[in-house]
Amino acid sequence: MARKRQSQRVTSYEVAKLAGVSQATVSRAFTAGAQIAKDKKDRVLAAAKQLNYYPNSIASSLASASTNIIAVIVGNLDNPFYVESLHAFITHLQASGKHVLSFTISQGKACDDAVLEALKYNVDAIIVTSAPLSNDLVSMTKGAGIPILLFNRSSDDPTLLSVRCDNFGGGQELGKVIYDAGARKVLILRGDPQGSTSRDRVAGFRLAVQDKAIEAVRIEEIDGNSSYDGARDAIRERFKGPNPTFPDAIYAVNDIMAIGCIDELRERFDLKFPEDIMIVGFDGIREGQLQPYKLTTIRQPINAMVLKTLELLAAIGDEEDTVKADSCVIPGRFFEGSTVTQMEQVGTKIP
Amino acid sequence: MARKRQSQRVTSYEVAKLAGVSQATVSRAFTAGAQIAKDKKDRVLAAAKQLNYYPNSIASSLASASTNIIAVIVGNLDNPFYVESLHAFITHLQASGKHVLSFTISQGKACDDAVLEALKYNVDAIIVTSAPLSNDLVSMTKGAGIPILLFNRSSDDPTLLSVRCDNFGGGQELGKVIYDAGARKVLILRGDPQGSTSRDRVAGFRLAVQDKAIEAVRIEEIDGNSSYDGARDAIRERFKGPNPTFPDAIYAVNDIMAIGCIDELRERFDLKFPEDIMIVGFDGIREGQLQPYKLTTIRQPINAMVLKTLELLAAIGDEEDTVKADSCVIPGRFFEGSTVTQMEQVGTKIP
DNA sequence: GCAGCCACTGAATGCGCATTCACAATTTTA
DNA sequence: TAAAATTGTGAATGCGCATTCAGTGGCTGC
């Protein structure tokens, strides 16, 4: 049934016949940098245009063992951060003649199935953004010689390359900001408890506020499931009952949860930010910068991270294993919104 | 250089040898519904597992002329509506064993390049969400026998299948709501002036408010580029200068522009919705339902639209051209937010 | 007991292209 | 001018699998 298609498609043999050359020459005409005389190439291209021929990438992939397809596995498209990342990957890969095979994983599931599918298609590389990965699969990708890269997460496996933001450093910076703004009672909204990202962001924050031994900071941690709804639920649960007491500040380890917090606290308690309570997020998603939020956060340099990832990919292609894993932590950038109380600038100017 | 990979990969011949069968039998073991005895199949699968074999989909695609890949071309990932659509496509296609090759098109560009790339990969179908398409390309897809479907847009070409929301009807409904709420001076924020979507939504709206001959409605139209920033710019421009006068209501033909309007008007004039000015959007994106917006809108049934699209795809596979194009307009659903003045309910209950 | 049928299997072939190899047609060098 | 290097080309081959075709063996029914 699907069979008729192949007869409809023009092949390089037909072009070769029309152009009066061999099929090999047609192939060369469409291969950048191939050895072919200019006049023949022109003749081939003219014949190809006349017949409406375009190369069959599938056949080409089979013959050359390179598909020009990159698999991008996205953990959670409900989080705009991953949407923006996927967008950046598609845009940049498209610009360099590659293609993106997209997979999504529902929250909390392993991405093993997606990786396996990607392997079947012999993709040139696999990029995993969040989502856990089993060791078996990693060894299968190694067996297949297909590079696999982690984006925005790290792994205990040191042979796995990963590109991520400096989550620890970013957390630290936010901790400092929150402390300097005077918060001494802080609620931390964690994301995925398994994930390295949430863990690092919390650890950096804690270090920063505990460093300041001048005055103790009381910290409480709850889980927000890395999602808007999860955050709202967690906040609702935490502050249920009559007359809840609020912390001085909330640190949500990603922006989408911070937004959930704000919405929930505004709706139920009509709280003002930062007057009643301060809040910071992490990621720098567009939604956080909408006028009703103006969230103070650490902006992840998505573009730089994506470019770095693609750079690594290219490097792997060149010389197998010479890539240093430590070069792949990129600093985030503090974004001053209006959800943290402004202190007098003098203090922060001390070198 | 990329060459070594192929030697690493286990092939069906090796599995065949280990299992003591022919390669053809291995192929059958991995083909659902193929004629193969149970014991042989078990033996093959065991051997495959032992060798870590998995079929090469590229080779399989070449041999069978079906890739199980669907190209999804997304016009504008800055608009959350398209993000949600892409997400839905990926999720549903993944569930049925298909794969998504994603392309994005920058605003206003034609999607010809992406279509051509998709053709090269011999995809099973091409889905285009927004973005214009040249006639040449359409005929090429026909020549290649690859179905092409429009999502959320229509075309003058009647042979092109398209699935979309009832934009005209939705616009009409919003017009009615706005009129009934008492608005007599309305500003319409158009999207892409070329696109059928914006046009239909405006036309329906106009019909509804002009229908009510009781009292004339003054309508003004400006362009918002279908984007958040575009809407903010348009609003800023429109209401610059001292003491601008505002309309009773704004109709943004999509939610993301409505949000841009709200942000701009809040920030510069501290307007309240719906007290100072009413506003409605179209799409029903998640952002519009955040607590600070609660946008009144028409929600596009993305899931239903996506499922319908995939259904059409399946139908095309079965029996060439028997698909009726008119069955593909799906009604949207009015979502009552809090950006339109509530009227007493009595009036609306009149049959 | 034999024709006929069915379920299954393996050998062979081709999908469309890239690539290797050998060779012809140049051009360069000795 | 002969030899060597260079460039360009076509024939042949294989990438890994699905599929067709021609069986083989077991079964049923008469």
Side-chain angles (χ1 to χ4, degrees), chain B residues 37-57:
Chain B
K38 177 141 191 353
D39 60 327
K40 296 245 174 182
K41 181 166 181 173
D42 292 345
R43 225 161 69 212
V44 169
L45 293 182
K49 181 176 285 180
Q50 187 181 330
L51 295 177
N52 246 330
Y53 167 83
Y54 46 94
N56 183 333
S57 297

Side-chain angles (χ1 to χ4, degrees), chain B residues 238-314:
Chain B
R238 173 62 184 76
F239 298 114
K240 70 182 175 191
N243 303 322
T245 56
F246 297 102
D248 303 329
I250 294 177
Y251 170 37
V253 300
N254 69 26
D255 284 356
I256 193 69
M257 288 197 297
I259 290 176
C261 281
I262 293 176
D263 279 3
E264 185 69 23
L265 292 172
R266 271 197 186 134
E267 189 162 302
R268 298 176 75 85
F269 304 104
D270 198 28
L271 295 189
K272 304 269 180 282
F273 304 84
E275 295 83 352
D276 297 323
I277 187 169
M278 295 186 262
I279 186 165
V280 293
F282 204 121
D283 277 349
I285 63 176
R286 204 184 53 174
E287 281 78 354
Q289 288 148 47
L290 293 175
Q291 190 268 342
Y293 301 107
K294 290 269 175 60
L295 184 64
T296 295
T297 189
I298 296 282
R299 185 174 298 168
Q300 294 208 64
I302 291 186
N303 228 44
M305 289 165 66
V306 166
L307 287 175
K308 182 71 190 170
T309 307
L310 301 182
E311 204 177 283
L312 283 186
L313 232 45

Side-chain angles (χ1 to χ4, degrees), chain B residues 140-314:
Chain B
M140 280 186 78
T141 64
K142 295 217 171 103
I146 295 182
I148 185 163
L149 285 175
L150 302 181
F151 182 85
N152 193 40
R153 72 187 308 272
S154 61
S155 156
D156 2 289
D157 185 340
T159 68
L160 275 185
L161 290 179
S162 94
V163 172
R164 58 191 188 281
C165 177
D166 181 4
N167 291 311
F168 187 89
Q172 231 176 336
E173 190 160 358
L174 290 173
K176 184 175 177 317
V177 167
I178 284 292
Y179 185 92
D180 288 350
R184 295 299 175 264
K185 241 179 76 188
V186 176
L187 176 66
I188 295 183
L189 203 50
R190 290 184 300 226
D192 174 15
Q194 317 292 339
S196 63
T197 306
S198 172
R199 205 175 49 231
D200 293 347
R201 290 178 183 179
V202 170
F205 187 92
R206 277 188 170 272
L207 180 66
V209 298
Q210 284 161 358
D211 230 16
K212 320 274 182 184
I214 316 164
E215 203 177 344
V217 172
R218 275 177 35 213
I219 292 182
E220 177 189 354
E221 294 189 14
I222 61 176
D223 286 319
N225 187 40
S226 286
S227 68
Y228 177 83
D229 290 333
R232 289 196 73 146
D233 292 347
I235 291 294
R236 189 178 314 120
E237 174 65 21
R238 173 62 184 76
F239 298 114
K240 70 182 175 191
N243 303 322
T245 56
F246 297 102
D248 303 329
I250 294 177
Y251 170 37
V253 300
N254 69 26
D255 284 356
I256 193 69
M257 288 197 297
I259 290 176
C261 281
I262 293 176
D263 279 3
E264 185 69 23
L265 292 172
R266 271 197 186 134
E267 189 162 302
R268 298 176 75 85
F269 304 104
D270 198 28
L271 295 189
K272 304 269 180 282
F273 304 84
E275 295 83 352
D276 297 323
I277 187 169
M278 295 186 262
I279 186 165
V280 293
F282 204 121
D283 277 349
I285 63 176
R286 204 184 53 174
E287 281 78 354
Q289 288 148 47
L290 293 175
Q291 190 268 342
Y293 301 107
K294 290 269 175 60
L295 184 64
T296 295
T297 189
I298 296 282
R299 185 174 298 168
Q300 294 208 64
I302 291 186
N303 228 44
M305 289 165 66
V306 166
L307 287 175
K308 182 71 190 170
T309 307
L310 301 182
E311 204 177 283
L312 283 186
L313 232 45

Side-chain angles (χ1 to χ4, degrees), chain A residues 7-58:
Chain A
S7 62
Q8 298 172 348
R9 186 155 186 168
V10 182
T11 72
S12 56
Y13 281 96
E14 302 171 50
V15 176
K17 201 163 120 194
L18 179 61
V21 298
S22 72
Q23 178 272 326
T25 300
V26 175
S27 171
R28 288 183 185 111
F30 281 92
T31 305
Q35 204 179 44
I36 183 176
K38 177 142 190 353
D39 60 329
K40 296 245 173 183
K41 181 167 182 174
D42 291 346
R43 225 162 69 212
V44 170
L45 292 181
K49 180 175 286 180
Q50 186 180 332
L51 294 179
N52 246 332
Y53 167 82
Y54 45 93
N56 182 332
S57 297
I58 295 289

Side-chain angles (χ1 to χ4, degrees), chain B residues 7-29:
Chain B
S7 61
Q8 299 173 347
R9 187 156 183 166
V10 182
T11 73
S12 56
Y13 280 97
E14 302 172 49
V15 175
K17 200 162 120 193
L18 178 62
V21 297
S22 73
Q23 178 270 328
T25 299
V26 175
S27 172
R28 287 193 261 261

